[in-house]
Amino acid sequence: MALKALLFDVDGTLAETEELHRACFNEVFANAGYDWNWPPDLYRDLLKVTGGKERIHHYLDRADVDLGADAAVKIAALHAEKNRLYARRTGSDVALRPGINRLMKQAREHGLALAIATTTSRSNLDALLAASFGAEGAAWFSAVVSGEDVSRKKPDPAAYLQALGLLRVAPDECVAFEDSRNGLLAAKAAGLPVVLTPSLYTGHENQEEADCVVSDLGEPDRPLRHISGWKPEGHVIDVDALQALLEALTVGTLLGNK
């Protein structure tokens, strides 16, 4: 099966963004006069809920906080302000994870399509792409599906199914890249092979459904660390490695703790 497209999650996968998100949430809460604070351990638990507004709703429910009849409006305003703060800080506080830029450039040279399938807000995505790839960054992607484009967020496969439809490719002609269990389940439900690169907040999660789990995609001077599943022959995940993964899956010779 020939590889035709690569589909990427965003937060935690393209870049370690969650600490910046957490800091922005806390600053916005304080500025609005709320005594809410999300320390890392709590935020790790809250990340089981996908979507920023949904995460605030969940936090308030478990803390038994009632914002009144206009709670949804207040939460939307807090989330919008958090996103504005995040966008202002993305360029200086966030860098792409190892191997992301290298693999994307190589994929484009090989004529492969690139896509984004995320449940983060489009404004957050645009800020990260502009900071990481410049003004032309968005043009690298043949399909972009964000949190505003689907009614059901990960672990529902809606974002991946929509991206596949836009690309007009079959799931077994692609590889998805994720960092979290919710994302892994979403991609697998869409029929996609998955390379999982656990991030700061997701290393503790169950990874057993992933086809390949590595520390990151690797760089020539900074080899990846294999964790489980299919193991690439080299020290980086590149186009040849991904084609080998598809071939291994096709002939049923996938190795590792499956």
Side-chain angles (χ1 to χ4, degrees):
M1 184 65 67
L3 179 65
K4 294 183 179 179
L6 309 181
L7 292 81
F8 293 87
D9 171 54
V10 175
D11 289 319
T13 301
L14 292 188
E16 287 279 12
T17 56
E18 293 297 359
E19 265 300 271
L20 179 57
H21 281 298
R22 186 180 71 85
C24 291
F25 272 119
N26 285 336
E27 183 168 338
V28 167
F29 296 157
N31 290 343
Y34 296 115
D35 61 349
W36 312 333
N37 183 269
W38 292 356
D41 286 348
L42 173 60
Y43 193 60
R44 181 175 289 107
D45 190 49
L46 292 174
L47 283 173
K48 296 175 183 176
V49 179
T50 53
K53 291 191 293 292
E54 292 85 350
R55 200 166 297 136
I56 298 173
H57 273 288
H58 177 74
Y59 169 76
L60 297 180
D61 285 345
R62 63 186 276 176
D64 198 24
V65 175
D66 185 0
L67 292 182
D70 58 347
V73 174
K74 292 177 180 177
I75 289 172
L78 288 169
H79 186 244
E81 181 58 28
K82 190 279 296 185
N83 286 349
R84 285 190 286 270
L85 184 59
Y86 173 88
R88 290 199 297 271
R89 295 184 177 177
T90 301
S92 59
D93 292 359
V94 175
L96 293 176
R97 293 187 68 185
I100 291 291
N101 192 40
R102 171 190 54 76
L103 178 60
M104 286 187 176
K105 287 182 176 179
Q106 186 190 35
R108 296 181 73 211
E109 291 169 358
H110 281 71
L112 303 181
L114 299 176
I116 294 288
T118 181
T119 51
T120 197
S121 301
R122 185 60 187 254
S123 62
N124 293 338
L125 171 60
D126 290 343
L128 180 62
L129 294 183
S132 303
F133 303 110
E136 77 284 358
W140 284 28
F141 300 93
S142 301
V144 175
V145 180
S146 67
E148 290 92 342
D149 299 319
V150 292
S151 59
R152 300 180 307 280
K153 297 186 176 182
K154 299 174 184 177
D156 190 280
Y160 278 111
L161 293 173
Q162 185 168 328
L164 288 169
L166 293 170
L167 292 172
R168 297 184 179 181
V169 293
D172 58 2
E173 297 173 322
C174 311
V175 175
F177 297 84
E178 277 286 352
D179 75 300
S180 71
R181 179 154 185 80
N182 277 336
L184 168 62
L185 294 177
K188 295 307 289 186
L192 288 157
V194 178
V195 172
L196 190 76
T197 55
S199 61
L200 177 65
Y201 279 100
T202 63
H204 65 291
E205 295 181 338
N206 185 344
Q207 305 160 353
E208 64 182 344
E209 293 90 351
D211 300 292
C212 171
V213 184
V214 288
S215 58
D216 51 57
L217 302 184
E219 297 286 6
D221 61 346
R222 182 182 169 179
L224 60 78
R225 177 173 56 87
H226 177 257
I227 298 173
S228 65
W230 175 84
K231 185 176 182 179
E233 291 187 1
H235 299 303
V236 301
I237 296 291
D238 57 16
V239 169
D240 288 342
L242 296 173
Q243 182 61 56
L245 170 60
L246 287 192
E247 291 170 1
L249 290 169
T250 300
V251 300
T253 59
L254 184 62
L255 303 176
N257 59 343
K258 299 300 291 172

